[in-house]
Amino acid sequence: MHKVIETIQRTGTVTGRSGKTHKLLCPQKRLEGMFLYNLIRADAAVAKTLEIGCAQGLSSLHICAATEDRENAWHTIIDPHQNTHWDGVGITNLDTAGLDSFDLIEKKSEFALPELLQREEAQFDLVLVNGWHTFDHALVDCFYATRLLRLGGYLVLDSVALSSLQRLVDLLNKWPCYEEFASIRKPLRRSALKQWLLPFLKHLQADTWSSVLPSPLYKTLFRDDATKMVAFIKSDLDQRGSCWHDERF
Ligand SMILES: C[S@@+](CC[C@H](N)C(=O)[O-])C[C@H]1O[C@@H](n2cnc3c(N)ncnc32)[C@H](O)[C@@H]1O
């Protein structure tokens, strides 16, 4: 693994474009990074990649480290707030690591993705969707990602423990052009009380409880066994006609 990633994970800090040191926001993201890295290393055809949502750049680092030795490797990053809210941390990390085969589009994905599509369809081997996490927004990202991915390419969704994204994963599992390829799940940790309570609470719908329970309690109760990252393979062309429907939707 790249030295810069090891240093970030050991110190729990990152440095911004301003020179300021920031706390690493998601130290537990090691698992997702390795998932991405291994997925890419296992398929030598992955070189052109696209990421929506860079933040502190942990996934960018793993993606670029995994394609570093590949011909024509190029990583396109979309993040409207990279040099403002994030103090350029993600890009600074890539620069520090000497990973320079990337470009940053500082626009919201809903504006940047149609522009990329106008340039060329099916231009990417892998797209990571990890931007704005509402269902409708992530669905728009996936709509464009499907057009931008070549046949045999990968669509990866992060943060799928969120119910909005769980719903999207369910939907993608029904699209004829995709097959779920791999996923990671957080290890199951349940207290005896939780073991007893969970079936009862789940019976009454997790979504209902999200508006009633304080957020940390909701997360503890419902999110410990949730999937964290899912990769789909585009196993077929998207050939749905305008009236295509699936009664399971
Ligand atoms: C969960 S973070 C991404 C985490 C990152 N992939 C990592 O490995 O640490 C979500 C990112 O989405 C970005 N974002 C917010 N709104 C967006 C939008 N409309 N389009 C694209 N990115 C957006 C945020 O600036 C933030 O960097």
Side-chain angles (χ1 to χ4, degrees):
M1 185 45 60
H2 211 285
K3 225 172 153 205
V4 171
I5 300 176
E6 281 168 11
T7 308
I8 291 172
Q9 277 162 352
R10 183 170 36 78
T11 60
T13 60
V14 284
T15 306
R17 197 169 283 279
S18 65
K20 221 173 127 189
T21 300
H22 304 269
K23 215 173 143 194
L24 180 62
L25 286 183
C26 299
Q28 75 281 15
K29 282 256 169 196
R30 183 188 295 255
L31 214 56
E32 286 89 328
M34 283 315 297
F35 176 81
L36 273 171
Y37 182 86
N38 291 333
L39 180 74
I40 295 170
R41 289 309 296 171
D43 185 344
V46 176
K48 298 245 182 305
T49 50
L50 170 67
E51 174 179 21
I52 302 161
C54 173
Q56 296 183 328
L58 262 292
S59 40
S60 315
L61 276 170
H62 282 88
I63 292 170
C64 292
T67 55
E68 193 181 11
D69 59 356
R70 295 189 180 167
E71 214 180 312
N72 301 325
W74 194 262
H75 186 49
T76 300
I77 300 167
I78 298 173
D79 197 319
H81 312 302
Q82 177 56 207
N83 280 308
T84 49
H85 178 81
W86 298 105
D87 187 20
V89 164
I91 300 308
T92 307
N93 281 334
L94 290 171
D95 289 343
T96 310
L99 298 166
D100 55 5
S101 299
F102 72 91
D103 62 326
L104 168 69
I105 304 172
E106 289 195 85
K107 289 182 184 174
K108 292 185 172 177
S109 59
E110 61 268 37
F111 300 114
L113 289 168
E115 285 174 18
L116 283 175
L117 184 59
Q118 264 184 338
R119 269 190 243 158
E120 194 186 341
E121 291 227 10
Q123 56 182 293
F124 292 103
D125 305 311
L126 179 144
V127 179
L128 169 63
V129 173
N130 194 13
W132 195 257
H133 293 314
T134 59
F135 172 76
D136 50 340
H137 204 296
L139 176 63
V140 168
D141 288 349
C142 288
F143 170 82
Y144 283 103
T146 302
R147 300 279 297 266
L148 288 164
L149 270 178
R150 67 157 166 86
L151 189 60
Y154 302 91
L155 172 64
V156 184
L157 270 69
D158 197 353
S159 308
V160 292
L162 299 171
S163 59
S164 54
L165 295 185
Q166 272 174 20
R167 214 178 134 203
L168 189 51
V169 167
D170 288 347
L171 195 66
L172 290 167
N173 266 311
K174 290 163 195 154
W175 283 10
C177 69
Y178 284 121
E179 275 168 35
E180 197 173 309
F181 185 76
S183 68
I184 41 169
R185 288 167 200 280
K186 219 176 151 187
L188 206 63
R189 277 181 288 113
R190 282 186 184 167
S191 65
L193 175 67
K194 209 156 133 185
Q195 196 92 315
W196 179 80
L197 268 178
L198 213 58
F200 169 71
L201 292 172
K202 283 209 164 147
H203 179 68
L204 294 175
Q205 289 291 321
D207 282 354
T208 314
W209 289 103
S210 71
S211 53
V212 176
L213 297 173
S215 172
L217 180 59
Y218 171 76
K219 281 187 190 163
T220 315
L221 283 170
F222 287 103
R223 300 246 179 99
D224 66 344
D225 57 346
T227 309
K228 306 266 292 168
M229 192 175 248
V230 178
F232 291 91
I233 188 160
K234 188 171 167 183
S235 54
D236 202 351
L237 292 173
D238 186 10
Q239 291 169 327
R240 289 168 300 161
S242 76
C243 294
W244 181 88
H245 71 283
D246 183 320
E247 62 282 357
R248 293 170 300 168
F249 274 18

